[in-house]
Amino acid sequence: MSSTSRNVIPTEDEVRKAIIELKKGNPASGVAKIHSLLLHANSSWTVSEKRVRKILQSEGLINSDPGTPNSTTNIIHPSFRLNKASMVEVKYFDAVKGKGLVAKENIAKGDVLWKEDPFILAPEWEIYDLQHLSEACSFCSCIIRDHSPLHISCEASTTATPCTARYCNRLCRLQAEKVHPLLCSARNPASVPLLAFARDAQWMALHALAQCTSRLLLASQQDAATFDLDWEVVQGLAELGMEERAQCLREQGLEPDRDNWRRAFELYLQAFKEPRTPAEQKKLARVLKKPISEELQKFTFEYQAFLRGLGRMSLNLEAHGGLYRLHSHLNHSCTPNVSIRHLDQRTALSRITVIAKEDFEIGQELLITYTNPQSSLRDRRRRLSEWGFGPCRCERCVTEEKVWKESDSNTQEADDLADQLKAGLGVL
């Protein structure tokens, strides 16, 4: 009697796609059932039930109340432990829309919903240059041109192997240890060409991916609980690969620069896995003393995974370069009902404050805009299509589309109607 050999360990993406498809067809099934269906459909795979559970959690596909298998409300994403005082919660809508944030209580216009520090920060290049000149904190990005005894330089910096990182206080220096060691010119000089390439190309997504990769690899050197928290954050981010985005751009007559992608990938591997010289290899080994798991290596160092990582960063970064655990769950509307502000005096360039632009009822979704709200309907939809989104069907777009169809698009009348509508919605 023959038996099926289970000797193939599938990649994270393969398992994730298979699980999502199974969950679509079996929405009431729990972890054990999905695990059984997965192994039945892929007889050569070796996948643990624990791995299935983690992926279902990261996708927001596990019901919050095991006693109500058909419920899809009140699903909290594990990557952000909302405290009981929070005004919002993460909700899973459906397999197409995915997750979003909704009000957990009635909220008044002008209320501060939450403040949030970034998971990683790839600041605008003017700030990055100040960091490189030791004139801005390398963690929180606040300006530190004036001398103060509180300011602290990178502890690894020496005359022979300098690092320009400087911190506004001891806490920032300690917090920076979650990311900085692998991007430190003294501790990991192999990272210097990658960061220089990102700077020269002004490629914020590449800089952010370097920051995110550094954080994950360094977390893998800590205890399992520390790594799992960071891993869940990254796994929970919305994703669109560079090839998928290229297909969207190609429809507009634009071609991707794959040579640049390849060059970036080579420098990325050089920074985090395969330094060029024995001296650089030895320094990297001092930082990454524990072996990197096969799963993390596949997620990090395969070329297609690298391209997906770039797309993931571009899709989730806030306008000023921060990647935020909770902010990244906000969905789009051309008439946003929350405002993202940088108000904190000391960390204004990194910490965000989220403010309600209108009154909210319990269960109402919080929305930001992914485009310039002053742009025309056509321009907004074109911008969204560049990231694989279908035509926006928010109230404003539906109304403007109706106006567009009923009027001659080249007449002043149509332009006036569009301007009046913008003014009425408060986006002019």
Side-chain angles (χ1 to χ4, degrees):
M1 185 172 168
S2 63
S3 61
T4 302
S5 174
R6 294 191 180 278
N7 54 13
V8 175
I9 300 177
T11 66
E12 186 73 11
D13 287 330
E14 289 173 335
V15 179
R16 184 177 300 279
K17 289 177 182 177
I19 287 175
I20 290 173
E21 286 303 313
L22 287 171
K23 189 65 175 175
K24 284 181 185 177
N26 304 270
S29 297
V31 176
K33 181 63 175 177
I34 294 296
H35 179 238
S36 175
L37 291 171
L38 180 72
L39 295 182
H40 179 74
N42 302 276
S43 58
S44 63
W45 282 10
T46 297
V47 181
S48 68
E49 186 173 315
K50 180 180 178 182
R51 189 177 179 189
V52 172
R53 179 182 296 278
K54 279 191 173 184
I55 291 175
L56 286 168
Q57 286 177 333
S58 71
E59 291 295 320
L61 295 174
I62 290 182
N63 299 313
S64 59
D65 181 359
T68 55
N70 292 318
S71 171
T72 56
T73 59
N74 301 321
I75 299 172
I76 302 301
H77 191 273
S79 70
F80 196 92
R81 315 300 186 188
L82 295 173
N83 60 54
K84 292 182 180 179
S86 176
M87 298 180 179
V88 303
E89 61 185 353
V90 181
K91 176 182 176 180
Y92 177 76
F93 291 97
D94 54 51
V96 176
K97 183 173 181 177
K99 300 180 291 288
L101 295 180
V102 298
K104 201 164 70 173
E105 59 186 64
N106 291 328
I107 297 170
K109 179 179 179 180
D111 279 355
V112 173
L113 303 180
W114 76 88
K115 295 184 178 183
E116 189 173 5
D117 289 318
F119 179 72
I120 57 97
L121 179 66
E124 294 166 296
W125 295 113
E126 294 84 353
I127 302 300
Y128 176 83
D129 291 340
L130 290 176
Q131 290 177 331
H132 200 64
L133 293 169
S134 306
E135 294 181 358
C137 178
S138 289
F139 179 72
C140 75
S141 74
C142 77
I143 307 303
I144 53 174
R145 290 193 181 97
D146 296 333
H147 175 74
S148 167
L150 295 176
H151 299 163
I152 302 170
S153 297
C154 172
E155 62 180 7
S157 181
T158 66
T159 303
T161 57
C163 173
T164 59
R166 194 170 173 224
Y167 305 98
C168 58
N169 57 47
R170 191 173 300 276
L171 178 60
C172 277
R173 188 188 69 76
L174 290 174
Q175 291 279 69
E177 288 300 297
K178 295 178 182 178
V179 176
H180 179 66
L182 284 174
L183 303 177
C184 173
S185 56
R187 281 180 276 190
N188 185 29
S191 66
V192 173
L194 173 65
L195 295 177
F197 182 81
R199 174 64 187 93
D200 289 344
Q202 297 192 19
W203 197 346
M204 185 181 284
L206 179 59
H207 185 203
L209 183 60
Q211 297 270 341
C212 196
T213 300
S214 180
R215 176 152 184 167
L216 281 180
L217 292 175
L218 290 170
S220 75
Q221 304 299 293
Q222 306 299 317
D223 59 274
T226 298
F227 174 74
D228 285 347
L229 285 174
D230 284 358
W231 180 245
E232 287 173 349
V233 171
V234 178
Q235 289 287 298
L237 297 172
E239 181 179 292
L240 180 73
M242 297 294 282
E243 287 292 353
E244 290 86 347
R245 190 188 182 201
Q247 186 173 351
C248 298
L249 293 173
R250 194 175 295 112
E251 294 172 359
Q252 301 178 30
L254 302 174
E255 285 297 325
D257 188 350
R258 290 192 175 84
D259 290 340
N260 231 22
W261 295 357
R262 279 288 178 186
R263 177 58 180 155
F265 181 60
E266 291 169 4
L267 295 174
Y268 178 82
L269 288 182
Q270 178 183 307
F272 299 118
K273 187 182 182 184
E274 301 165 353
R276 291 175 302 176
T277 69
E280 289 178 345
Q281 292 165 12
K282 189 177 294 185
K283 287 204 169 189
L284 180 61
R286 288 197 193 113
V287 180
L288 299 178
K289 296 178 181 179
K290 291 170 62 176
I292 307 301
S293 70
E294 182 180 356
E295 183 179 27
L296 182 55
Q297 289 213 45
K298 287 181 177 179
F299 182 81
T300 306
F301 297 131
E302 291 184 352
Y303 181 60
Q304 291 303 321
F306 169 75
L307 294 183
R308 286 191 294 275
L310 286 173
R312 191 183 296 113
M313 294 299 103
S314 295
L315 198 59
N316 291 279
L317 286 178
E318 193 265 343
H320 296 281
L323 180 65
Y324 300 87
R325 292 171 175 87
L326 194 53
H327 168 273
S328 63
H329 289 80
L330 287 164
N331 286 321
H332 165 81
S333 170
C334 294
T335 312
N337 54 22
V338 297
S339 175
I340 309 300
R341 307 288 294 278
H342 293 257
L343 300 175
D344 189 279
Q345 188 171 0
R346 193 182 69 80
T347 58
L349 298 173
S350 60
R351 178 174 296 169
I352 58 172
T353 300
V354 182
I355 302 173
K357 296 181 69 175
E358 61 183 49
D359 293 339
F360 283 82
E361 296 181 354
I362 295 174
Q364 184 177 343
E365 187 177 7
L366 283 67
L367 300 162
I368 57 173
T369 180
Y370 298 170
T371 67
N372 181 351
Q374 296 187 20
S375 298
S376 67
L377 171 66
R378 182 180 296 173
D379 287 343
R380 296 197 310 273
R381 286 187 168 174
R382 177 187 55 78
R383 178 61 178 160
L384 290 171
S385 72
E386 291 175 3
W387 285 106
F389 295 106
C392 178
R393 305 301 298 173
C394 71
E395 181 181 357
R396 176 186 173 190
C397 283
V398 171
T399 304
E400 287 187 13
E401 184 177 45
K402 185 178 180 181
V403 170
W404 185 269
K405 288 179 178 179
E406 291 178 352
S407 305
D408 181 351
S409 61
N410 295 316
T411 66
Q412 184 63 44
E413 179 186 2
D415 294 337
D416 290 344
L417 283 170
D419 287 344
Q420 289 170 20
L421 183 59
K422 289 179 184 178
L425 292 167
V427 296
L428 275 181

